[in-house]
Amino acid sequence: QVQLNESGGGLVQSGGSLRLSCTASGRTFNSYGMGWFRQAPGQNRQFVGGIIWSDRRTYYTDSVKDRFTVTGDNTKNTVYLNMNSLKPEDTAVYYCAESKNYLHRRAFEVEYWGQGTEVTVSA
């Protein structure tokens, strides 16, 4: 059973930075890629960004482009979400996500989830 463990959340002021980490364990397949989602109170879980390991191509939702970057090392089963210029609207629980054969951007298609790490951005 795949386990994804996130860390790095916390409270930060608007304009600040945070780095989230996610480490995977228990895989029985070659990872295609890993992604990050977030869920704000009262809202659906939404795709934030992700990376495909084969060519290290990254994808982002429009609201975080030029502020967030996804990096990682597949040999270490670890992916990072580097968040800069944080805004109050970035406040959410952030989840690491993985599926066997695709980098899904719709939450209902994701096969494996981390437990989430909370990010709060104060104005």
Side-chain angles (χ1 to χ4, degrees):
Q1 181 71 9
V2 175
Q3 290 189 333
L4 304 175
N5 293 300
E6 305 104 331
S7 62
L11 173 65
V12 64
Q13 289 187 332
S14 181
S17 300
L18 278 176
R19 188 192 202 197
L20 307 183
S21 302
C22 173
T23 300
S25 61
R27 285 194 194 121
T28 58
F29 55 89
N30 291 325
S31 178
Y32 179 85
M34 296 179 74
W36 291 93
F37 286 69
R38 66 186 179 186
Q39 188 166 16
Q43 297 187 17
N44 294 328
R45 196 170 295 187
Q46 298 179 331
F47 177 77
V48 175
I51 186 168
I52 294 175
W53 297 123
S54 61
D55 58 6
R56 305 197 70 79
R57 190 174 303 180
T58 55
Y59 300 86
Y60 302 95
T61 190
D62 286 346
S63 63
V64 307
K65 283 180 181 176
D66 300 324
R67 298 189 300 123
F68 292 10
T69 56
V70 178
T71 59
D73 185 343
N74 191 30
T75 63
K76 298 180 179 179
N77 299 321
T78 300
V79 65
Y80 304 98
L81 180 64
N82 305 282
M83 304 185 293
N84 297 313
S85 301
L86 282 160
K87 304 175 181 180
E89 51 264 43
D90 295 318
T91 294
V93 178
Y94 284 71
Y95 296 90
C96 182
E98 185 172 27
S99 302
K100 292 188 184 75
N101 299 311
Y102 197 73
L103 182 65
H104 291 296
R105 302 183 206 187
R106 294 183 292 185
F108 72 90
E109 295 175 318
V110 171
E111 295 178 78
Y112 304 106
W113 292 102
Q115 80 283 358
T117 185
E118 190 165 0
V119 172
T120 303
V121 184
S122 62

